[in-house]
Every structure is written in structure tokens, then in C-alpha cells.
Amino acid sequence: MESILNSVKKIVNVSLEDDSFDQDLIIYTNTILAVLTQMGVGPVEGFVITGEEETWDDFVGDDIRIQLIKTYVGLRVRMMFDPPTNSSAVQAFDNSIQETQWRIYAMTNYGGWT
Amino acid sequence: MPRLLPPSEHMEGMVKMSQLKRYSELIQLSSFDDRYNYLRLKGQVGEDTFGFDRYLNQMFYTSTEWKQFRNYIITRDNGCIMGLSDYPYARGDRIVVHHMNPLNKDDIIHSSDFLMNPEYAISVPDWLHRAIHYNLDNVSFEPKLVTRYPGDTCPWKGGH
């Protein structure tokens, strides 16, 4: 089972062995998980990570649509933790986030997220 | 009656397999030079591609579908040159999504698989895109390391 923190570290290009940024990444990740809770994804009471123990399965079970959630969390944390300096890259990331967010909304509102 | 092939099979058949360039092969190469050499086009400069049908090219590159695809490729490559994590785009770089297998007007008219299949596209800066098409030798590049600081992307906090 894949750790949420380790997935995020991979997307923001931080080595899994390097724990220098773990506290920052945990805070940013929990922020996005709270956003997802508001969007209707995951446990109703909310979900937080404290380290690398929490897995995606703990958050949303083994639903195959989890890939969309991983992408969303990764991209949003990347934009908070280490945004690109290039404006075209920022725009591309923002557009991808908006599209992913819309698709998650579509799933939770019309697809019946389980 | 000829057997109808799905676009990918059909198009790949038109390009010799040894010449077909793929993203999945490219990312096996770890260095800037290796990836550049893989992408270099060995064709002649000035070879006819669209000719007087350049309007097709313009229509395609201004379409919503292309803009969405472009965003996807830049995001997939993590905002880095040729997807190399140690080579992020610098401020001011013009990003180009490069078709690894050159297009012609038939690709656009028949919506071939080479057009918007992520397997055949990669993001590169404009200067490198020119080098790829002009098949330049000795293209080397060392990324400038940028010191990041809080608020450096925010104009009213001292950033740019």
C-alpha cells in the first residue's frame, strides 16, 4: 500500500530518504486533503497524515479512481511547495489542477464516489 | 476490401519502426545529451511539410484540444525540459510541445495518432526545439540553479 507522503515527495521531486521537508509537505498535504473532504472525497470527518504511515487506501479505500486524487494532491502540493518559475509551466499546472478538480466534482456529485 | 486498421497501427506502419520515436523509450535515457540525441531529426532543413496548406497547421495549433493537450504534456513532464527533473524551465523560457515524429498535412486531416498521443510528444524550450529540427551538433546545457525564497512568485512581495 502506497504512502501518501511518499507519493507527494515523488511528485515534488524530493528523495524518499530526505526528511528535511517532511513537516512542510505534511502541512500542505493536509490542507489539500481538507479541501478534498469539502469536495466529498474520503471520510466525512476528515483525514490527516502525520508521517509516511498513512496510505491512499486509508483515505479512500481501493477505488480505482484514486489516481485522479493522487494527481490532484500532488499538483496542488507542488504549486504550494515548489511552484515552477516559468509562467507557462505555472499556467499549465493551474489548468491541469482546474480540470482535475472539475472531474473530481463530477465524480462526487454525479458518479457516486464510494 | 483492404483491412481497416486503427489509427495508431496504421500510422506506425507508415514510419519505419526503427525511426519511430516514443516517449516511453525517451524516458529510459537519463542524461540531457542522450535525450537530445534521441530526439534530433535527421531530415533535411527546408523539407516540405505543410507547404501552401499551412492554414491547417495554424487551425490545429489554435484549437482548444491542442491547448489542453499542451497543458497535459507540460504537467506530465513536471515543468522540466524533456521531462528531466534536474532541468526545470527557467523564467522566460518559451515552452514548445514537440511532436517526436514530424507531422504532415495528412496527419491533421485524418487526425492521426501522432497528433495528440502523449506517447509521441515531449515538452522542450524553443531554443532546443530549433536545435532538434536543425539537427545541431554539440548542444549542451547546464541549468542555472535558482535560489528560491518565500514569496518569490508573488510580484508584490518582491518576486517576479
Side-chain angles (χ1 to χ4, degrees), chain A residues 11 78 82-83 86 95-96, chain B residues 71 75 78 85 89-90 93 148:
Chain A
I11 290 181
R78 167 84 197 267
D82 183 26
N86 183 286
N95 288 343
S96 297
Chain B
N71 284 333
T75 310
N78 217 5
S85 58
Y89 287 103
D93 268 347
R148 305 300 302 263

Side-chain angles (χ1 to χ4, degrees), chain B residues 84-96:
Chain B
L84 286 161
S85 58
D86 290 336
Y87 292 78
Y89 287 103
R91 180 179 291 129
D93 268 347
R94 183 169 164 259
I95 304 176
V96 176

Side-chain angles (χ1 to χ4, degrees), chain A residues 31-42 59 69 72-73 104:
Chain A
T31 303
I32 306 308
L33 294 179
V35 170
L36 283 167
T37 301
Q38 279 197 320
M39 290 164 64
V41 176
F59 181 47
I69 305 296
Y72 183 72
V73 173
I104 293 170

